[in-house]
Amino acid sequence: MNSSTCPDRTKVVENGICYAISLEGQKTGFYADQRENRHFISTISGGQKVLDICCYSGGFALNAARGGAIAVTGIDSSLPALELATENIVLNNMDRERICFLREDATEFMKGALSRNESWDIVILDPPKLAPRKKVLQSATGMYRNLNCFAMKLTKKGGLLMTCSCSGAMTQSGMFLKILQGAAAMAGRKITLVRQGGAACDHPIDPAYPEGTYLSNILLRVL
């Protein structure tokens, strides 16, 4: 197959939002498994200030903006991903005064935001796979705890944190909620569980293959 029959760029529409897709990007070019969770964010973002950490091409951020958020900031370290995210603002005729994307390491951004006493009504944290294998689960535990500690500190009191793990080893271990409790203790915050989700319904789980359960999506109220 030559390159003329296999384009490296295309567009898709999800929840009424158009996305530029790079087929040479991460995964298949788009994280379709978070579709229902992205739509949920659009239903709770009206009038809110939203931070999307590890935003990739802006899926959660764009849904927040479409849902009426007053200000949305997306953070990612990947320049190609942010180029797609910026293109997606234009594709959807969104107000650049209300949504922006910044290239920065997630941890460094959160440390800087804390030093400036910044906070958000809704924070979304969807990091890359930190525990690809059970062997590295222990070291990944510390990374998840630290990232979520920073994210909780950036969430306004009474605000919401949607935090994710796409690591099958983490999800199947059943440790994720315990790690979030540890992160809350480190942050000096109290959390309550509001919603627990996973991959969209087009990612069915075969009972004979429980290893197929990989995505955790947890919505917390941060007090």
Side-chain angles (χ1 to χ4, degrees):
M1 182 180 293
N2 61 47
S3 60
S4 64
T5 59
C6 185
D8 59 4
R9 294 287 294 271
T10 188
K11 294 184 179 71
V12 300
V13 176
E14 177 197 86
N15 300 330
I17 297 174
C18 185
Y19 296 89
I21 301 297
S22 170
L23 300 180
E24 296 180 345
Q26 299 172 26
K27 205 174 182 183
T28 57
F30 190 66
Y31 291 91
D33 52 1
Q34 290 275 27
R35 182 183 71 252
E36 293 167 5
N37 302 316
R38 284 191 287 263
H39 179 260
F40 181 80
I41 283 292
S42 74
T43 69
I44 62 171
S45 294
Q48 305 296 294
K49 183 182 175 187
V50 179
L51 174 64
D52 182 6
I53 304 167
C54 304
C55 65
Y56 188 50
S57 58
F60 282 110
L62 293 162
N63 274 272
R66 180 58 57 86
I70 57 174
V72 184
T73 303
I75 305 298
D76 205 281
S77 61
S78 167
L79 181 58
L82 293 180
E83 288 174 345
L84 289 171
T86 302
E87 185 176 342
N88 291 336
I89 295 176
V90 177
L91 283 175
N92 292 281
N93 298 311
M94 291 186 175
D95 184 356
R96 288 174 177 267
E97 296 297 315
R98 286 199 304 121
I99 180 169
C100 68
F101 295 101
L102 305 174
R103 186 186 186 192
E104 195 165 347
D105 173 78
T107 299
E108 293 307 310
F109 173 84
M110 289 192 284
K111 286 180 179 178
L114 285 169
S115 71
R116 298 186 294 272
N117 294 315
E118 293 185 89
S119 62
W120 283 264
D121 301 300
I122 299 174
V123 176
I124 300 136
L125 176 61
D126 186 17
K129 187 182 293 185
L130 301 179
R133 300 175 307 280
K134 287 184 179 180
K135 288 182 178 179
V136 298
L137 193 56
Q138 196 62 42
S139 61
T141 294
M143 290 187 281
Y144 278 114
R145 185 175 58 246
N146 292 339
L147 284 168
N148 280 281
C149 174
F150 286 128
M152 289 175 190
K153 287 181 177 181
L154 289 177
T155 306
K156 290 182 179 179
K157 188 172 183 179
L160 294 168
L161 168 63
M162 178 176 278
T163 182
C164 312
S165 169
C166 62
S167 300
M170 176 58 69
T171 295
Q172 293 153 33
S173 74
M175 294 169 52
F176 196 41
L177 281 174
K178 186 175 181 180
I179 290 168
L180 296 176
Q181 288 178 312
M186 283 178 62
R189 307 293 291 271
K190 177 178 171 58
I191 55 173
T192 58
L193 178 62
V194 177
R195 175 182 181 269
Q196 200 161 358
C201 60
D202 57 354
H203 287 62
I205 304 300
D206 184 342
Y209 182 65
E211 294 83 0
T213 306
Y214 68 96
L215 181 64
S216 295
N217 181 291
I218 306 292
L219 185 68
L220 302 171
R221 178 81 63 186
V222 183
L223 304 169

